[in-house]
Amino acid sequence: MTADPSASAEELARRGYVILRGILDAGEVARARDLCAGYLAGSGSQEMLTSAFLADEFLAGIVLRERVVSAVRELLGEEHPVLYPNCTARKNVYVPWHVDATFVGPTAGYVWEPGFAHVQCGLYLQDNDPVAGGGIDAVRASHLMSFDGYGTTEPEFDIAARTVGESDLRERVDTRAGDVVVWNARLMHTSTPVLREAGREKFGVFFSYARPHVRDNHRFLSQIAVDSMRTMNGVSRLIPRLAEIARMRYPESFPAWFAKEAADAAVQIATL
Ligand SMILES: O=C(O)CCC(=O)C(=O)O
């Protein structure tokens, strides 16, 4: 059991997300914000390549912190969780209502099988403020709802956004700077809207864990490989972060200290 009952496996199963409080303290939040500001110095939305993220011991170490890994173990019901190489930090990313792309659509029926367990983790480096944003909103228990005919059609979020997204099921995920929100892969969520600019950048650190399952782990990674090339109006564009993840191999693509810490924590790293 985790110390906090609101971060239990039961709560994740019921609500679709839980919050791990205070994974970074105030000083560490300030340090992480400085690092992210340095790495993501351009304007607009930006995200780090996994290789750049892993090269920073402080940022990469967050993913393997004892409190994070033990919570993930409890939440997945799995002693040997699998970490994917999609670790990153992002600046000023705002996305509309969605279920994370690899878990919806005609190839994603397997995410409804009883043994499927995958959690996405977002550590936010500012409070989630109802006026200035800073984190995510979620539709409570939407991991139990299908937006894609249980993996048989393209997902449809517009109707859900207008209905459950405007209902009492919509919740502002009440994260404070340094908290991690852990959500079920099937949860429908959106960036908390900014009603008034706060004069600060929005930063978050993101990573995901799953149960070890050769087929599910491979499907997730191969979907990332497919998504790394987007074709619109006949023009193909490579998404560098996703293309890099598809090329990564364990252990050679990971810093030796990171591979060792993962092994010591009984965390397996999955690559294609
Ligand atoms: O950080 C955010 O505002 C949104 C993150 C998100 O929706 C995602 O990573 O899928």
Side-chain angles (χ1 to χ4, degrees):
M1 278 290 282
T2 46
D4 179 356
S6 67
S8 66
E10 291 74 20
E11 190 60 22
L12 181 68
R14 225 179 3 252
R15 189 167 60 162
Y17 67 91
V18 298
I19 299 171
L20 312 179
R21 295 283 178 203
I23 294 298
L24 298 192
D25 65 26
E28 291 172 326
V29 167
R31 180 172 177 197
R33 286 189 67 86
D34 279 353
L35 289 167
C36 289
Y39 293 129
L40 303 169
S43 58
S45 297
Q46 283 186 283
E47 56 185 5
M48 290 176 77
L49 291 177
T50 297
S51 54
F53 180 87
L54 292 177
D56 187 291
E57 285 200 30
F58 180 74
L59 293 179
I62 293 170
V63 171
L64 293 173
R65 283 196 181 200
E66 208 279 319
R67 271 193 63 208
V68 171
V69 176
S70 61
V72 162
R73 271 199 196 98
E74 141 91 9
L75 294 169
L76 291 174
E78 172 55 54
E79 271 307 296
H80 303 279
V82 163
L83 173 70
Y84 289 114
N86 59 341
C87 316
T88 189
R90 296 184 185 143
K91 181 174 89 170
N92 294 339
V93 166
Y94 293 96
V95 283
W97 285 113
H98 68 288
V99 171
D100 293 338
T102 31
F103 306 111
V104 277
T107 58
Y110 73 100
V111 306
W112 294 96
E113 288 173 13
F116 174 79
H118 178 121
V119 286
Q120 179 67 35
C121 306
L123 183 150
Y124 288 96
L125 297 174
Q126 56 285 312
D127 295 351
N128 195 14
D129 186 275
V131 176
I136 57 168
D137 290 5
V139 170
R140 169 184 277 261
S142 53
H143 62 304
L144 306 174
M145 308 170 188
S146 167
F147 305 99
D148 65 351
Y150 298 95
T152 55
T153 60
E154 288 304 325
E156 163 58 85
F157 299 123
D158 290 350
I159 296 167
R162 288 197 300 272
T163 54
V164 285
E166 296 305 325
S167 76
D168 283 356
L169 293 175
R170 177 186 190 138
E171 294 182 337
R172 182 123 315 143
V173 177
D174 177 31
T175 40
R176 305 295 147 89
D179 293 350
V180 175
V181 50
V182 181
W183 68 88
N184 180 297
R186 298 191 307 261
L187 189 77
M188 181 164 152
H189 57 284
T190 183
S191 301
T192 299
V194 175
L195 304 182
R196 197 178 57 234
E197 292 294 336
R200 54 141 165 78
E201 311 284 14
K202 172 184 173 187
F203 291 116
V205 169
F206 299 87
F207 47 98
S208 53
Y209 278 98
R211 279 200 190 132
H213 186 293
V214 171
R215 183 203 60 185
D216 292 357
N217 302 155
H218 189 266
R219 275 189 169 157
F220 178 71
L221 289 164
S222 52
Q223 192 60 45
I224 286 181
V226 170
D227 291 345
S228 70
M229 182 65 82
R230 299 220 176 118
T231 305
M232 271 179 77
N233 303 326
V235 179
S236 293
R237 194 165 67 91
L238 196 69
I239 314 290
R241 188 176 77 86
L242 301 185
E244 182 187 67
I245 292 168
R247 281 196 310 272
M248 290 180 76
R249 298 292 176 267
Y250 177 79
E252 56 268 35
S253 309
F254 294 81
W257 72 267
F258 189 88
K260 178 171 182 327
E261 262 190 36
D264 290 349
V267 166
Q268 309 174 51
I269 298 177
T271 56
L272 274 180

